[in-house]
Amino acid sequence: MSKVKIYTWADKAPEFLYKQYETIKKFVKDDDWEFIVFNNVPAPKLDRQEKIKKICKELGVKCLDVRFRTFVSGAAQICAWGIHWAYHRFFRWEKDTIHVIFDSDMFFIKDFNFNEFLGDNHICALHQRRGDIEYLWNGIVIMRGGELPDKKYFDYRLGDINGERTDVGGRLYYWMKRNPDLKIRYMMHTGHLDVSKSAMLPEKVRDGYKPEYRFQFIENVVLHYRAGSNWDKKSKDFVDTKKAYFNELLDELLYNEGQINEAPELYSCKE
């Protein structure tokens, strides 16, 4: 069995680290795993950088500063650079290691074994598409980074490709084209929970859900808050209300034996 390293990139919502680490400890079932936080705050936001370091010290987890080679601005660009830098600085050199990219607003709600899920695939992730450009979403990625083919072409940055404006990970299109025999396991997910899917939620907390929260379930084991950095510029009242409901939902699933109603017809693996 391979060692598992679970990485998250913390920036605008470092308070998520507490609950995220708690769910990792509770539900990750690999024998040998480690949780590592990349401090993805670009200069000059020193107060936020220090807050992340303080939380990591409190939790007893490793915290590494992302090195920004040049000035990077914009949420997507900062996110993309952090992943791209980490892969080429660390992941690609480590053998017999499963590397997990795990968004800072994702939380486990059921037992999960990364070794079993990855199996003999090269990589597991959610399918992403912009027009005819297909690539892998960055929210959750499972791979043996040191054993991927054509590692120097592995690029999680974004850009304009054949006239399509891609999001984080768009440049993986070129790597995937170079390696048509890649064994990719596309992960099943609900998309965002609208009215038609909210019946999946535990009955006790279902009535409080609003479709504009846009939560997401992945493989029935991960709950995704979505827009944890508030990149979509919601009001403070909205964010506070959303976080309060999310905490209520997560507590129901973690401590009160609440169950999601698994509905396979609401899941898809490719857009």
Side-chain angles (χ1 to χ4, degrees):
M1 292 294 185
S2 300
K3 180 182 177 65
V4 177
K5 292 186 176 182
I6 306 165
Y7 297 90
T8 197
W9 283 254
D11 186 356
K12 294 183 178 178
E15 66 276 6
F16 280 137
L17 287 169
Y18 292 108
K19 192 72 78 173
Q20 186 176 61
Y21 187 43
E22 181 181 349
T23 69
I24 289 171
K25 290 189 293 183
K26 183 178 178 69
F27 292 115
V28 171
K29 298 306 177 183
D30 297 87
D31 292 333
D32 186 7
W33 62 265
E34 182 180 9
F35 180 54
I36 299 169
V37 176
F38 281 115
N39 194 332
N40 205 39
V41 181
K45 305 293 185 180
L46 297 179
D47 55 337
R48 214 157 66 229
Q49 290 178 351
E50 291 304 315
K51 183 175 182 180
I52 291 169
K53 291 177 182 179
K54 182 179 178 181
I55 292 173
C56 289
K57 184 176 181 180
E58 182 181 341
L59 294 175
V61 301
K62 186 183 296 183
C63 182
L64 302 173
D65 291 337
V66 172
R67 301 301 182 189
F68 291 93
R69 186 172 56 189
T70 57
F71 180 74
V72 180
S73 65
Q77 296 283 359
I78 291 170
C79 173
W81 172 255
I83 296 172
H84 180 75
W85 172 83
Y87 178 81
H88 291 282
R89 175 65 178 82
F90 298 105
F91 305 173
R92 66 178 291 186
W93 310 107
E94 296 181 335
K95 302 296 185 182
D96 196 29
T97 302
I98 292 177
H99 302 94
V100 181
I101 298 170
F102 201 57
D103 235 6
S104 61
D105 60 351
M106 287 192 175
F107 306 84
F108 283 98
I109 57 173
K110 288 186 179 180
D111 291 351
F112 191 76
N113 186 297
F114 288 102
N115 275 275
E116 292 179 2
F117 192 83
L118 180 59
D120 63 355
N121 295 289
H122 287 110
I123 193 166
C124 304
L126 273 65
H127 178 261
Q128 184 81 292
R129 178 195 295 274
R130 294 291 184 270
D132 294 328
I133 307 302
E134 298 186 61
Y135 52 103
L136 304 176
W137 183 57
N138 64 289
I140 179 169
V141 183
I142 307 166
M143 59 184 168
R144 289 184 176 87
E147 299 167 31
L148 295 178
D150 271 347
K151 291 189 285 290
K152 69 178 181 179
Y153 293 101
F154 190 87
D155 190 342
Y156 245 100
R157 290 175 292 179
L158 60 157
D160 291 313
I161 301 175
N162 297 343
E164 295 290 345
R165 179 65 177 171
T166 65
D167 201 350
V168 178
R171 292 190 189 181
L172 281 182
Y173 167 81
Y174 298 115
W175 176 70
M176 294 165 70
K177 283 291 187 182
R178 287 180 60 89
N179 297 278
D181 295 326
L182 281 170
K183 296 176 70 175
I184 302 173
R185 179 172 181 176
Y186 288 108
M187 301 180 76
M188 302 292 287
H189 64 99
T190 60
H192 69 269
L193 291 183
D194 57 20
V195 173
S196 68
K197 300 174 184 176
S198 60
M200 295 180 64
L201 297 170
E203 184 175 0
K204 185 176 178 181
V205 297
R206 192 178 302 157
D207 289 345
Y209 182 72
K210 298 179 181 179
E212 54 265 36
Y213 292 163
R214 299 172 65 85
F215 296 162
Q216 177 185 33
F217 288 109
I218 301 170
E219 291 285 344
N220 281 329
V221 297
V222 170
L223 174 60
H224 184 199
Y225 175 91
R226 296 181 74 126
S229 66
N230 198 29
W231 57 264
D232 50 352
K233 310 295 185 186
K234 297 295 187 182
S235 69
K236 184 180 184 303
D237 285 346
F238 176 86
V239 171
D240 289 346
T241 302
K242 180 180 177 181
K243 284 184 177 179
Y245 176 79
F246 184 83
N247 287 330
E248 181 183 3
L249 170 60
L250 200 56
D251 286 349
E252 178 68 14
L253 293 170
L254 296 182
Y255 310 122
N256 300 331
E257 299 183 353
Q259 298 291 322
I260 61 170
N261 299 309
E262 298 181 12
E265 69 276 9
L266 300 181
Y267 281 74
S268 64
C269 67
K270 295 191 77 172
E271 296 178 354

